[in-house]
Amino acid sequence: MELRPADSSSGWRRTAYSVIFEADTPAGRAFDVALLWAILLSVLAVMLESVRSINATYGQLLRAIEWFFTGIFLIEYLARLMVVRRPLSYALSLLGVIDFLAIVPTLLSLVIVGSQYLLVIRTLRLLRVFRIFKLGHFVGEGEFIVDALKASRFKIMVFLTAVVTIVIIVGTLMYVIEGGNNGFTSIPQSIYWAIVTVTTVGYGDISPVTMLGRTLASALMIMGYAIIAVPTGIVSAQMASASRPAAQPPAFKQVVCHVCQAGEHRPDAEFCWRCGEHL
Amino acid sequence: MELRPADSSSGWRRTAYSVIFEADTPAGRAFDVALLWAILLSVLAVMLESVRSINATYGQLLRAIEWFFTGIFLIEYLARLMVVRRPLSYALSLLGVIDFLAIVPTLLSLVIVGSQYLLVIRTLRLLRVFRIFKLGHFVGEGEFIVDALKASRFKIMVFLTAVVTIVIIVGTLMYVIEGGNNGFTSIPQSIYWAIVTVTTVGYGDISPVTMLGRTLASALMIMGYAIIAVPTGIVSAQMASASRPAAQPPAFKQVVCHVCQAGEHRPDAEFCWRCGEHL
Amino acid sequence: MELRPADSSSGWRRTAYSVIFEADTPAGRAFDVALLWAILLSVLAVMLESVRSINATYGQLLRAIEWFFTGIFLIEYLARLMVVRRPLSYALSLLGVIDFLAIVPTLLSLVIVGSQYLLVIRTLRLLRVFRIFKLGHFVGEGEFIVDALKASRFKIMVFLTAVVTIVIIVGTLMYVIEGGNNGFTSIPQSIYWAIVTVTTVGYGDISPVTMLGRTLASALMIMGYAIIAVPTGIVSAQMASASRPAAQPPAFKQVVCHVCQAGEHRPDAEFCWRCGEHL
Amino acid sequence: MELRPADSSSGWRRTAYSVIFEADTPAGRAFDVALLWAILLSVLAVMLESVRSINATYGQLLRAIEWFFTGIFLIEYLARLMVVRRPLSYALSLLGVIDFLAIVPTLLSLVIVGSQYLLVIRTLRLLRVFRIFKLGHFVGEGEFIVDALKASRFKIMVFLTAVVTIVIIVGTLMYVIEGGNNGFTSIPQSIYWAIVTVTTVGYGDISPVTMLGRTLASALMIMGYAIIAVPTGIVSAQMASASRPAAQPPAFKQVVCHVCQAGEHRPDAEFCWRCGEHL
């Protein structure tokens, strides 16, 4: 979706648009850099507020900072709505929704205690700031990764379906084997354990104790070991083939025989291969 | 194995067959979608039943749901047996056995408490439902993965044999080193620990305490780090070579124009591209 | 090293050699299969003996089985020494040493308690049994993996050196940061923790508690995440290039100049490139 | 930066330079090998000193060894400063700074207790010793790895930014979900947990307990499973394309026959392949 300035004739709107939405001018770049810092600092403030000892001493200050940045982001949001040609399109776009969600939690925290922590969603606003680096390599490389993942999405979905099936069945078997003890208190818990195991995370908050359980767990782990090769192989192969130059398309003469309509002649052909007519 | 309708002349059997076994007609598709939901809901019910707090409140209901779906799957199973031409072939096929096993545990739970949890084997019935997506990308991509794993099966078996040998020897050494303490109570337990370690799961339910034990564990971990590259490399290389188009053989007609001696004619060329002579 | 029968004229030695050392005859194959089972059963007996509850009941039996198999392996070892042409070469070869080590621990257990567990070294004897599958795919695939690892050995050594340097430095920093508490009781212990972390094993027997320690640990983990890509990439690239058909040799005219004997002429050359003679 | 001897006319300085800074002469090689051992032994002494039981017994000795090696490294450092042409350039170069930092902690330990442990930074001096192997494969292979990582640096940075964004958001959600209990005492702690989880380290020092928390953790783990494929794929693809020989440019003589105008002669051709004319 291309957003355009609200009114192409009005001077100040055009300028404001280029500053707020674009990064080609020095002012636009400065705006984006300021935004980057505002996002990082406000997210940092939210994080620090959640630390009890810091909250006890600097809570007042941190909440003030939160409101300060929320105010700034609110003004920025309203400014965006004002200078853009179609405010509704912007408000409903992905970035627009994120901009909005970056303001709401502070207001919400007046009603629901703790909801201000959701302000970390502001981190997603960094997506917007990546425009600053648009001319650099980042966007291109990011697109390369996203493209590789997109091209592999069916393979990855098939793979994830297989993993889900395995963890459901192994988790249930484990629940039956360990008999509801040792943390395997229900099938969902056992499935959680199976996921922790097959992904090789291995917290150890739940772990099998019986001989049979450990044998099954060993099988699952070795299977997980082999399984992890699959997504890696998928993405590696995809990226390797993407970075390889495409096999050049067959180079044929852009001409069709006027007698038999045959195409696909050699580039240097003078006569039709099918009917022998001069091309 | 291709299953065919029981009687190609009888109309209703043919229709029933196409609905139950195929997914080309709207009715067949609807049947498969309904089956998909039945499977998911019945597996969910089994899972929830295993959660103690939910079982205490809704146990009665969940068991009723279980019996309901078991009834449906039983009817479906009998219907499959009836409409297929060779019931025995179907009953002994992989999908047929899974269909059967998806019914048994409920009946078995009357005799053996807890066996109803094995109903999660119904998850495997999803394999059947994947036919719905047959026209989509899933089956092809799934086959690509399965083919890559099949082509790598000898390499993976050699790799697993090496891993098993390593864990047996390191596990035993660890049992001797840690002297039966710190969870290394027997060689099988120590082998279990070695598997947990070499696959990088690392529960921490058993972990070495002595200096020598930790040194050996470190060596095993770093080895495991290098080892994990092997299955990944195998599958990556396999997938990369599979997704690479085979270098197409130069497809030229093995003939030279008897007039101008020009070669490299299209395989289906009847006339020389250079002089127009009949080949 | 090629071992040959002791005396090529003596009939029974030749036969015994072919049975014991080769797997081409039915008798030789049967011998290898029997050996495979003997190895597996004896290793299993050793494992079971280490389980306290089993040892309490069947200890006597298991020790008898151990001595039985040790006797068989001793006879086999002596037989090998007898029928081979150069007993010393055999005794000092890798497989010969393993054959010897597979006997010693039982005898040693009379002196040192617990040394019989080292019998699991018999597992390595399976290497010998793999000859049975020589005609199959296993040896070839195993060689493919070993070749890929060999070709990558310098890269892997450089990688491991980098990992060792990182874990030494991070481990020491962690020791200083956590101040000898929370399990980081010495630098070697902290290095052990760093290895557990960077290899993503993560037992959790030692884990940082201080804010600074957790920050450093996070950095190490994310670094480890990126690092794990290196060995995988090395082996994948190696395997991919090994499984790729070699660039086809330059296609030269199969003709040698009858004057100057120069070869490697262009396929369409009519005159020698070195002396100008008509080919 | 190329460092050169201080004074090209003075004989002893030139000799000292070649011994200390180069590894081409036997003396220079011997110096580097001695340095290698000095580094390894001094780092080992520092490590052992940190082990309480060893420190109690051999503390005096270990500290003496430390001062001994510090003295040697100090002399070496001064010698380097003396024989090099531009001492300041050397002192400010990467290796020069490492050489300096390898001496400081011992002196600092007189003021700040425990700072001698930072001597392990001497491990980095091994970088210098790698020159010994310069003629071997190590430097080339190391450069291959570093080049592959450099070429992938933008992709890896994009990837790490995505991972950081994910762990911040998931960590915060987890803090809200688990309500500050079960170790999720603040957002930074929860982010630490998210990093431990997404990198599949999984200490288990913090792990979710609530149903919702475990569900989110499962999602994060499976995501981490798919994510780990990305850096691996990046590096694999990079290495595969780097190790693939660039399609070698057709190596032809840059000359055209002045008689028949034929090109594409062998680089060593003296006569035209088509007409036999001297080139």
Side-chain angles (χ1 to χ4, degrees), chain A residues 47 50 117 120 123 130 137 141 144-145 159-160 189 192 196 198-203 205 224 227-228 231-232 236 239, chain D residues 154-155 161 168-169 172 175 186-188 191 193 197 200-204 207-208 214 221-222 225 229 232-234:
Chain A
M47 285 186 190
S50 76
Y117 297 130
V120 290
T123 318
F130 275 130
H137 294 266
E141 300 291 9
F144 178 82
I145 293 175
F159 167 72
L160 287 183
Q189 301 282 9
Y192 164 74
V196 168
V198 91
T199 56
T200 80
V201 170
Y203 287 132
D205 51 351
I227 283 177
I228 208 169
T232 310
S236 294
M239 285 188 173
Chain D
F154 289 115
K155 286 197 197 70
T161 308
I168 287 178
I169 290 177
T172 306
Y175 171 67
S186 68
I187 292 180
I191 290 172
W193 166 85
T197 298
T200 79
V201 171
Y203 287 132
S207 63
R214 290 188 163 177
M221 280 179 251
I222 287 178
Y225 206 45
T232 310
I234 291 168

Side-chain angles (χ1 to χ4, degrees), chain A residues 12-195:
Chain A
W12 71 266
R13 274 199 166 170
R14 172 142 215 91
T15 308
Y17 181 85
S18 82
V19 169
I20 299 179
F21 277 93
E22 289 168 3
D24 304 333
T25 58
R29 248 182 119 75
F31 181 85
D32 274 351
V33 170
L35 194 60
L36 172 64
W37 282 106
I39 293 167
L40 292 179
L41 288 176
S42 72
V43 168
L44 191 67
V46 173
M47 285 186 190
L48 291 178
E49 201 202 330
S50 76
V51 182
R52 215 157 296 166
S53 61
I54 294 176
N55 197 5
T57 323
Y58 303 104
Q60 213 74 2
L61 175 66
L62 290 169
R63 266 183 297 281
I65 291 173
E66 235 163 64
W67 280 100
F68 170 73
F69 280 118
T70 302
I72 284 185
F73 288 146
L74 181 61
I75 292 166
E76 184 217 340
Y77 184 66
L78 295 176
R80 283 182 192 272
L81 279 178
M82 260 166 65
V83 301
V84 87
R85 189 199 284 263
R86 296 190 189 168
L88 200 66
S89 302
Y90 160 69
L92 296 178
S93 71
L94 178 65
L95 290 177
V97 168
I98 293 175
D99 290 351
F100 181 69
L101 290 177
I103 306 166
V104 172
T106 315
L107 308 173
L108 209 66
S109 71
L110 296 176
V111 188
I112 306 167
V113 175
S115 58
Q116 77 271 22
Y117 297 130
L118 299 176
L119 284 173
V120 290
I121 207 169
R122 282 174 184 167
T123 318
L124 285 181
R125 296 205 67 195
L126 291 174
L127 279 177
R128 181 183 285 287
V129 178
F130 275 130
R131 278 180 318 153
I132 306 179
F133 307 113
K134 197 177 256 165
L135 301 174
H137 294 266
F138 291 94
V139 171
E141 300 291 9
E143 274 167 9
F144 178 82
I145 293 175
V146 169
D147 285 352
L149 289 178
K150 257 190 199 160
S152 315
R153 68 185 178 288
F154 289 115
K155 286 198 197 69
I156 290 176
M157 279 167 76
V158 168
F159 167 72
L160 287 183
T161 308
V163 168
V164 167
T165 307
I166 289 171
V167 298
I168 288 178
I169 290 176
V170 173
T172 306
L173 281 176
M174 213 62 180
Y175 172 67
V176 173
I177 289 171
E178 294 278 328
N181 301 319
N182 313 318
F184 296 87
T185 51
S186 68
I187 292 179
Q189 301 282 9
S190 300
I191 289 173
Y192 164 74
W193 166 84
I195 292 171

